[in-house]
Amino acid sequence: MKFDGWYDYFLVVSAAFSLAGWGTFVIGFGLESSNPARMADDGLWDSSVKRFDWYVLAVMGVVACVLEILYGLTKNHTIFLLVLFFSSIALTGCGGAMSSTGRFIWECNQPDSNGDRRQPPGCQEETFDNYSLTFVGCVVIFVCQLIAILTAAQASHSSKFSFHNPRLSVADADEISLMDSKRPSKAV
């Protein structure tokens, strides 16, 4: 297939973007956790158990991202199985976090009886910004994790990620550099 050499690039790049999304999620989660004005009356922050899926994503997300990058570099079969395991757990936590943050953002954008938006508690405060940051991080994680998993499954199990042209073998690269050195230079 014409596209074979590029699967490793898509795997490593999508895992790196997933790691950036994880960082965005963790920043939003941390800001909301330490927010003194957060909504305590909604019952969602009474104990850490009610945000268990967020904690799962915070821990398993980084493990899944690092393992995906490691798999792109080593192509070890055991690491691939660990990628699938940790990614599935991270995506489950991501779904829970996207559901709760998305519901809050949606409710904030619904008009009230006067037609005004962003009137419910927390919608004009730091909480809205933190939930938005958390939601965006979850969306990036979700999309990039799926791309990384699909490309990891499709990629050749013998090739490894490299910054060199994936379509060239070592012999081809040596031949090209030899041809370049024999080429006469043009005088200006």
Side-chain angles (χ1 to χ4, degrees), residues 38 46 50 78-79 92 118 141 164 167 182-184:
R38 74 170 176 249
D46 292 342
K50 296 198 178 173
T78 306
I79 294 175
T92 303
R118 297 197 183 195
I141 291 170
H164 302 290
R167 304 201 29 113
K182 289 183 178 180
R183 186 174 295 153

Side-chain angles (χ1 to χ4, degrees), residues 73-94:
L73 297 173
T74 63
K75 293 298 178 87
N76 186 327
H77 182 69
T78 306
I79 294 175
F80 179 66
L81 295 176
L82 290 172
V83 164
L84 293 177
F85 176 73
F86 286 108
S87 293
S88 62
I89 293 172
L91 287 174
T92 303
C94 186

Side-chain angles (χ1 to χ4, degrees), residues 24-91:
T24 305
F25 166 78
V26 169
I27 289 170
F29 182 31
L31 288 173
E32 186 58 26
S33 295
S34 64
N35 182 6
R38 74 170 176 249
M39 301 176 310
D41 59 341
D42 69 355
L44 295 176
W45 289 91
D46 292 342
S47 68
S48 60
V49 174
K50 296 198 178 173
R51 292 289 181 207
F52 179 72
D53 50 352
W54 292 35
Y55 287 103
V56 166
L57 178 58
V59 174
M60 296 298 175
V62 71
V63 173
C65 294
V66 169
L67 284 173
E68 287 167 353
I69 293 171
L70 190 62
Y71 175 72
L73 297 173
T74 63
K75 293 298 178 87
N76 186 327
H77 182 69
T78 306
I79 294 175
F80 179 66
L81 295 176
L82 290 172
V83 164
L84 293 177
F85 176 73
F86 286 108
S87 293
S88 62
I89 293 172
L91 287 174

Side-chain angles (χ1 to χ4, degrees), residues 132-168:
S132 299
L133 192 63
T134 304
F135 183 77
V136 167
C138 286
V139 170
V140 171
I141 291 170
F142 187 78
V143 170
C144 292
Q145 282 286 320
L146 288 179
I147 291 171
I149 291 169
L150 292 174
T151 56
Q154 289 291 331
S156 169
H157 297 292
S158 60
S159 67
K160 294 181 175 83
F161 176 77
S162 170
F163 286 107
H164 302 290
N165 187 348
R167 304 201 29 113
L168 294 177

